Amino acid sequence: DSPPPLVHGADAHRPVAPEVERAFQLLGMPPDTPKAEAAARHAARLPPGGIELLHMRDGDANGLLHWLGTDGGSSPWVNPVLSGALTITASSPPCRTTDPRALAVGAPIACNAAGPGRGGRERSPSGAAWWALDLGPSARLVLSSYTLRADASGAYPRSWTLQASGEAPGPSTAWHDLAVHADDAALHLPGQYASWPVSCPRAAAPWRAFRLLLTGPNAAAAPAAGGSGRGGDCFALAGVELYGHFWPRSGGGGGSA
């Protein structure tokens, strides 16, 4: 088995290895066979022309969603969900308090929460709440860090997993864990930002889709700590931003098909 993903809010596991060794671990193959060696060389070789999106500070304009919204800085910002440059979905149907478009904006908002999964085309095995971002068939991102922004509901996430896939989100999508958060209280104020590095072996690969999966009760589930005790199974977020090396869709910038 490959090493576990980076764990936040618990004992941190930060594996460091050469690029090819990380590719072996990613593929889950023993490194002493010709087939594994060839596969590892292929996995370790990233396509040329990647755009480096560096996290400088929380709330900066250097991330992927901002890049997509401005078509690489060449045009005024347009919500990438509305332009078709990015697809964001949630475990519960869109409504006034579950708005994927708001997640791309990242502005302060009273409540924006994905509810527990109740089936649907991208259901999770546990029925847990989630948000998923799909870059499209030919776009890829090697993720190095990410930022979340809290809404003002008080339902701050505490335990969740960041996952990635090379497929479009769907019922049979294979998700791979990149970072696990357990009892992580980094988000504890309305509108607050928090950012985390992502450095597990799987993060060295270019991915098409990313999912934030709630794995435990949020802060609203603990009345003794000031929560209401209601809505503890919702994943409330005002915004998300991704950083790393990005390969846009074939044929142009973020808004291109």
Side-chain angles (χ1 to χ4, degrees):
D1 294 336
S2 59
L6 182 63
V7 175
H8 297 277
D11 294 331
H13 183 97
R14 299 172 180 264
V16 178
E19 191 69 16
V20 172
E21 181 63 24
R22 288 195 295 175
F24 282 134
Q25 295 168 333
L26 172 68
L27 295 166
M29 296 181 183
D32 55 353
T33 65
K35 181 178 179 181
E37 184 178 356
R41 285 200 303 269
H42 176 75
R45 187 173 63 250
L46 298 176
I51 299 164
E52 187 172 25
L53 304 172
L54 283 175
H55 174 262
M56 301 299 291
R57 60 178 178 82
D58 292 347
D60 64 21
N62 299 333
L64 174 65
L65 275 70
H66 188 271
W67 193 97
L68 293 173
T70 61
D71 199 8
S74 64
S75 61
W77 190 88
V78 175
N79 191 315
V81 174
L82 296 179
S83 69
L86 176 71
T87 301
I88 300 180
T89 50
S91 50
S92 54
C95 65
R96 183 173 58 86
T97 56
T98 305
D99 188 353
R101 299 168 302 176
L103 204 67
V105 176
I109 189 171
C111 180
N112 192 46
R118 296 181 176 86
R121 69 183 187 92
E122 300 164 46
R123 56 188 180 274
S124 61
S126 62
W130 51 260
W131 294 97
L133 294 83
D134 183 10
L135 308 183
S138 59
R140 293 293 185 271
L141 177 70
V142 175
L143 189 69
S144 61
S145 63
Y146 74 108
T147 298
L148 300 182
R149 190 176 194 185
D151 68 5
S153 68
Y156 310 117
R158 290 292 175 258
S159 299
W160 71 93
T161 299
L162 171 66
Q163 302 175 313
S165 179
E167 312 167 59
S172 59
T173 299
W175 292 102
H176 306 275
D177 294 351
L178 299 187
V180 175
H181 298 256
D183 297 323
D184 190 330
L187 291 172
H188 57 274
L189 295 171
Q192 180 189 9
Y193 292 102
S195 299
W196 299 267
V198 181
S199 58
C200 75
R202 293 187 184 96
W207 299 103
R208 166 180 174 165
F210 299 88
R211 182 169 76 164
L212 293 157
L213 176 69
L214 194 70
T215 57
N218 61 42
S228 66
R230 300 186 302 272
D233 52 359
C234 293
F235 203 155
L237 288 175
V240 61
E241 187 58 281
L242 308 176
Y243 301 86
H245 279 82
F246 175 57
W247 287 265
R249 298 182 185 185
S250 301
S256 303

